[in-house]
Amino acid sequence: MSFALSRNVAAFLLIGTLVAPGSVLPARAETSLQAPVVAEKADKDDVSSFHLENGLEVVVIPDHRAPVVTHMLWYHVGSADEEPGKSGIAHFFEHLMFKATKTYPAGEFSRKVAEIGGQENAFTSYDYTAFYQQVAPQALEMVMTYEADRMENLILNEDVVKTERDVVLEERRSRTDSDPAALLAEEVNATLYQNHPYRMPVIGWLHEMQQLNLKDALAFYQKYYTPNNATLVVSGDVDLATVKALTEKTYGKVPRRAEPGNRQRPQEPEQNTKRTVSMADPRVSQPSFQKMWLVPSYTSAKPGEAEALDLLSEILGGSSRSRIYQALVVQDGSAANAGAYYQGGSLDAGSFGIYGSPRGSATLTDVEAGIDAQIARIIKDGVTADELEKARNRFLKSMIFARDSQSSMARIYGSTLSTGQTIKDIQEWPDRIRAVKVQDIQDVAKRYLVDSRSVTSYLMPEDGKPDQKIEGETPASGETQQPEPPAQGVIQ
Amino acid sequence: MSFALSRNVAAFLLIGTLVAPGSVLPARAETSLQAPVVAEKADKDDVSSFHLENGLEVVVIPDHRAPVVTHMLWYHVGSADEEPGKSGIAHFFEHLMFKATKTYPAGEFSRKVAEIGGQENAFTSYDYTAFYQQVAPQALEMVMTYEADRMENLILNEDVVKTERDVVLEERRSRTDSDPAALLAEEVNATLYQNHPYRMPVIGWLHEMQQLNLKDALAFYQKYYTPNNATLVVSGDVDLATVKALTEKTYGKVPRRAEPGNRQRPQEPEQNTKRTVSMADPRVSQPSFQKMWLVPSYTSAKPGEAEALDLLSEILGGSSRSRIYQALVVQDGSAANAGAYYQGGSLDAGSFGIYGSPRGSATLTDVEAGIDAQIARIIKDGVTADELEKARNRFLKSMIFARDSQSSMARIYGSTLSTGQTIKDIQEWPDRIRAVKVQDIQDVAKRYLVDSRSVTSYLMPEDGKPDQKIEGETPASGETQQPEPPAQGVIQ
């Protein structure tokens, strides 16, 4: 427990903002990740990549401003790759990777990193599982030695499985089962995705987590924790030649154990209904709603569509300058908070969402209708060239901020390469954002934001209804919040 | 096409009323099947069963009133056993079984049955796939010979796969894709079941059916079409000794090819939300709604619960004498049709449903509120002893009618034995129905019919809303219908 928690706290500080399909994250942080960017063409040559003979892909992103390196190993396996009935195994396995190996006792790797003032953590999402450390450059070989070792030499037995299963079960209890918003989010995903495994929670369904066993763990390790199923990203104060030499010396010794094959998951059927998912719980004080649509991701979209969806979310509800925020929070004051987001950083289908909370005498229904009206306006009249230009600039600027951190850069490259895109896709992304036209915004809004194919969720106080005024608990007039959808993060 | 259609028409006449979890069937026909019955203790000894050495289970139900036998072979595999991404393979395979074998050309078996005036068909549901013929007793050996032959000698190649895939795709287009109620029912199931494969349509999702291939078919045949994964039921003008001799001569020669193992499907997590699924379509003239709950099936329930759910559905809405029908259709005239049903005949979780259509100036919301009030009354005040007694008598009487048909009996035994129950369960069922007490009815209503864990569907004309009055299309005052939920059957 304490081990898991301390890892989680560190991860939240360092990672905190990863994108997962179906999860809800602050719109700003989210776009900085799903939509990877290199700000200037001049930087393109800085990123190199190569493959070791065992199939491990290595990406090097030099940044010599500070004597720090970020080392992130991304396995191309996440909860959406789990077998039916085995939900939670990907995240469970992330935990098991911190156990003893044939070479080193449990905890030694973490202790070594801590001793030199480094940071480390790991996280699991729908499409990937990643392990990272941030250390001084001279410690890179040490980190690679331990990380390569646990790719091959992990000791799995009944004892470690039982112990760590209790840890993840407790994690589920404290993060999900005790939180109405988290429980609602699970059922929203299970409703939004009718066939795709994104429907299942990353942490797993409780009754399936309880059954995870040694046999499952061994099979998972064997199939997925093989060098040809991973991408190593090293960013920071390091050069290509050093990384080449060090990876050959460490990871290069790990044999290719399996061929995981194509990542073919069951895809969504055509959706033809409007759905709602409601929860009323005494622990809820501030009512809120969300409406979600299945839309293409950067990987699955036709050229230009994902970029247009990103800018549509920016114009509609990505910041306090957005249409939704200006109309509902600033002008008519019906919402304490409202916005829109696009989650396009997944291997399969992505999602587009709007959200809001009422203020004063307004109800959830009022806020929903107010946002719907903003969508209807864009579908009918489109956006202006000036509005698009400003949104594009805000958007690109936020990407430049993301680029300023070596760990953000490592996350951008790692998550993007783990979800079916290429380094070229990442590098050309700003140009593709620049190419989006006014008409493209209206087109994707019209094509995808169709009310009769949406899933709306309502989170309410006990006995609440969407059209019911909530007394006394909403922020007083004047108290508004920055647009920020309820958090439901990647799992560490 | 014409082949499939002619089979379908015959099946509809003969079978027409099978129970499938998540499907909606006339309440009366449905109870006659999910809740198998032998009316009198004196009959118990009439049913015998034995196993062949290859594992085939054989059940014999003599009935000498007419010179006819019903021969039904039940494979313990249905759509809920399909692998992810392979939805529709079970039903597709049912079609393939009518192709040529190494021994006989395609169509010969069907032709022979037709020549002697017999009937034949096949059907697929969530938990089983069955093939049957009804013929004169002297043709039983012939039928067994052909049926045993195709268990072992089916010829599968690219040609038959491609041809028959086009047939099932056309079946999906004509039965599902062109019918708003069928499309809605699919998405209701995909919402009601968040994790269990009952969420997937028996016929399959279109995009997955299109990908079904020879490799899938070969693997499916190899794994599931083995004698130790089947139950043969022979009912009618035949005796045990004859069936023993004939089965040993025919089926006895088929080798055991695989061990399909336990039928462990992913189970449902705890559900914590109220959900709605809505469709508005210009082809809809009569609006209707349904509300469904996940409840235990006869196989998964604690002792007595399934029987109490059956009688609750009878009291609440199983006939024109029921509370719902009397209150909404007869007394206040707000509903053209309304009722309740329990689907308890599945291997895993079952469902309980209520449904209704408005009449005159009433809206869907009015009818739903009227039914909700009837449920609330039972939860608060229970039912009377007299009411329970009358419902029990109606219920048992309807079972006796079902028993009067040898094909119904074969279906009852076949479906029940294919979904985890035993012959003893079937034979003791009337006594268990007789043991249900007044308090049991209130208990299951309170435990399971919880609005905050329900899934409600609304089918409406174009631009319709649940609280909107539909003009001109509803039956005039006085025109009412017998309680009968919208049909969504087992697939032939």
Side-chain angles (χ1 to χ4, degrees), chain A residues 153-171:
Chain A
N153 295 318
L154 193 65
I155 295 173
L156 294 168
N157 56 40
E158 294 289 358
D159 187 48
V160 301
V161 163
K162 194 184 167 314
T163 309
E164 207 59 27
R165 194 174 53 207
D166 287 344
V167 172
V168 294
L169 283 168
E170 178 55 34
E171 194 176 328

Side-chain angles (χ1 to χ4, degrees), chain B residues 242-261:
Chain B
T242 306
V243 172
K244 259 197 169 148
L246 291 178
T247 52
E248 270 161 20
K249 192 171 164 189
T250 54
Y251 290 103
K253 293 181 194 157
V254 180
R256 183 191 286 248
R257 287 207 302 279
E259 297 297 337

Side-chain angles (χ1 to χ4, degrees), chain B residues 260-339:
Chain B
N262 279 344
R263 299 178 81 182
Q264 290 278 2
R265 291 90 165 255
Q267 299 297 307
E268 280 298 297
E270 185 180 293
Q271 299 199 344
N272 301 287
T273 60
K274 174 177 171 66
R275 284 147 283 161
T276 68
V277 186
S278 304
M279 183 185 280
D281 189 287
R283 290 166 290 182
V284 175
S285 55
Q286 169 75 307
S288 62
F289 91 100
Q290 279 196 76
K291 188 176 289 189
M292 296 174 80
W293 291 267
L294 281 193
V295 298
S297 69
Y298 268 88
T299 303
S300 69
K302 281 177 234 161
E305 278 197 334
E307 294 79 3
L309 285 164
D310 249 338
L311 291 174
L312 171 62
S313 81
E314 179 67 32
I315 291 169
L316 199 52
S319 77
S320 57
R321 315 271 193 88
S322 69
R323 287 191 178 203
I324 287 174
Y325 194 89
Q326 285 295 316
L328 277 78
V329 180
V330 177
Q331 282 161 31
D332 76 14
S334 63
N337 183 24

Side-chain angles (χ1 to χ4, degrees), chain A residues 84-85 184 187 190 194-195 199 205 207-208 266-279, chain B residues 84-85 184 187 190 194-195 199-200 205 207-208 266-279:
Chain A
L184 175 60
E187 300 204 22
Q194 303 190 332
N195 196 46
R199 61 178 311 96
W205 296 119
H207 66 291
E208 295 185 347
Q267 298 298 305
E268 280 298 297
E270 184 180 294
Q271 299 200 344
N272 300 287
T273 60
K274 174 178 170 68
R275 285 148 282 162
T276 68
V277 186
S278 303
M279 181 184 280
Chain B
L184 176 60
E187 301 205 21
Q194 302 190 331
N195 196 44
R199 62 180 307 96
M200 292 180 298
W205 297 118
H207 66 289
E208 295 185 348
Q267 299 297 307
E268 280 298 297
E270 185 180 293
Q271 299 199 344
N272 301 287
T273 60
K274 174 177 171 66
R275 284 147 283 161
T276 68
V277 186
S278 304
M279 183 185 280

Side-chain angles (χ1 to χ4, degrees), chain B residues 6 23 42 62 90-91 98 101 155 162 194-195 214 286 306 340 357 400 425 436 482 491:
Chain B
S6 67
S23 74
H91 169 250
F98 288 83
T101 70
I155 296 173
K162 195 186 167 311
Q194 302 190 331
N195 196 44
L214 177 60
Q286 169 75 307
S357 283
I400 293 169
D425 291 332
V436 173
Q482 284 298 306
I491 301 191

Side-chain angles (χ1 to χ4, degrees), chain B residues 7-143:
Chain B
R7 285 205 285 132
N8 294 337
V9 170
F12 194 79
L13 295 174
L14 195 60
I15 298 285
T17 52
L18 267 152
V19 162
S23 74
V24 178
L25 294 158
R28 176 62 58 196
E30 188 260 336
T31 48
S32 74
L33 285 155
Q34 92 202 345
V37 62
V38 176
E40 302 299 332
K41 290 195 179 200
D43 292 331
K44 282 188 184 173
D45 293 338
D46 285 354
V47 178
S48 325
S49 77
F50 58 93
H51 283 80
L52 297 184
E53 268 188 32
N54 59 16
L56 181 72
E57 178 183 36
V58 184
V59 178
V60 186
I61 311 170
D63 173 357
H64 301 291
R65 292 174 299 171
V68 178
V69 290
T70 298
H71 172 269
M72 284 195 175
L73 183 61
W74 297 74
Y75 290 100
H76 305 170
V77 62
S79 62
D81 301 297
E82 294 165 341
E83 283 180 25
K86 300 295 180 189
S87 65
I89 180 90
H91 169 250
F92 177 48
F93 206 87
E94 176 219 309
H95 277 244
L96 291 177
M97 285 290 278
F98 288 83
K99 297 298 186 179
T101 70
K102 291 173 194 163
T103 328
Y104 306 109
E108 184 176 300
F109 184 11
S110 299
R111 205 160 49 239
K112 291 265 182 184
V113 171
E115 273 170 17
I116 59 168
Q119 282 185 300
E120 61 135 20
N121 214 319
F123 48 90
T124 306
S125 183
Y126 296 91
D127 294 321
Y128 44 72
T129 309
F131 301 84
Y132 73 91
Q133 302 80 26
Q134 199 166 41
V135 293
Q138 53 272 30
L140 187 57
E141 181 174 351
M142 176 272 282
V143 159

